[in-house]
């Protein structure tokens, strides 16, 4: 089961359903966190998100993260900050394979493997408009679709309140 593409809007460059181990106390996640945005932001926010989930639900949580294919794109219009040295080396032309591999390592380490992730490439012509103008709507929908895909792969039901 591969995460399906929508050739009219996007293609999936890489995806992983994460790891789920049910237990008597936790047959399905009690808390589901949906994340979307550039990998450079995820790199900064993932530990706080994982800590919040541990405090809220222990190991009974799930995270789904969606990144555009330019996950490491450097922003020339952002204010200078403490992460400049790491970000300065990144470019819009970065190949998608490196961020995909980093996503796998981050998911295993911070979220105990309970992270589904996908790297998406928007169809030409929608590339900037889709991500930047509609990122809240499309990011949320893509992360929810990814969560449903991972749940089906692992055989757990999502709470109707998720």
């Amino acid at each position: 089961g591969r995460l399906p593409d929508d050739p009219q809007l996007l293609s999936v460059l890489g995806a992983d359903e994460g790891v789920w181990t049910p237990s008597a106390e936790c047959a399905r996640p009690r808390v589901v966190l949906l994340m979307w945005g550039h990998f450079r932001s995820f790199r900064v926010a993932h530990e706080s998100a994982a800590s919040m989930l541990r405090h809220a639900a222990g190991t009974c949580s799930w995270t789904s993260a969606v990144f555009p294919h330019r996950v490491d794109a450097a922003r020339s219009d952002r204010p200078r900050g403490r992460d400049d040295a790491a970000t300065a080396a990144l470019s819009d032309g970065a190949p998608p394979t490196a961020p995909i591999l980093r996503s796998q390592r981050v998911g295993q380490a911070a979220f105990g493997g309970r992270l589904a992730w996908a790297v998406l490439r928007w169809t030409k012509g929608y590339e900037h408009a889709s991500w930047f103008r509609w990122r809240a709507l499309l990011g949320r929908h893509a992360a929810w679709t990814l969560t449903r895909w991972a749940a089906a792969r692992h055989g757990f039901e999502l709470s109707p309140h998720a």
Side-chain angles (χ1 to χ4, degrees), residues 23-41:
S23 66
E25 301 82 32
C26 182
R28 66 181 183 194
R30 286 194 299 265
V31 177
V32 175
L33 176 64
L34 305 179
M35 301 178 81
W36 56 91
H38 284 101
F39 188 81
R40 67 167 182 250
S41 302

Side-chain angles (χ1 to χ4, degrees), residues 115-128:
L115 169 74
W117 57 264
V119 174
L120 308 177
R121 179 184 301 258
W122 303 112
T123 302
K124 190 173 174 95
Y126 284 97
E127 188 173 279
H128 294 293

Side-chain angles (χ1 to χ4, degrees), residues 131-148:
W131 192 256
F132 295 110
R133 291 191 188 134
W134 302 105
R135 67 178 168 234
L137 175 63
L138 291 174
R140 205 172 294 140
H141 178 73
W144 181 243
T145 300
L146 177 63
T147 302
R148 290 177 44 214

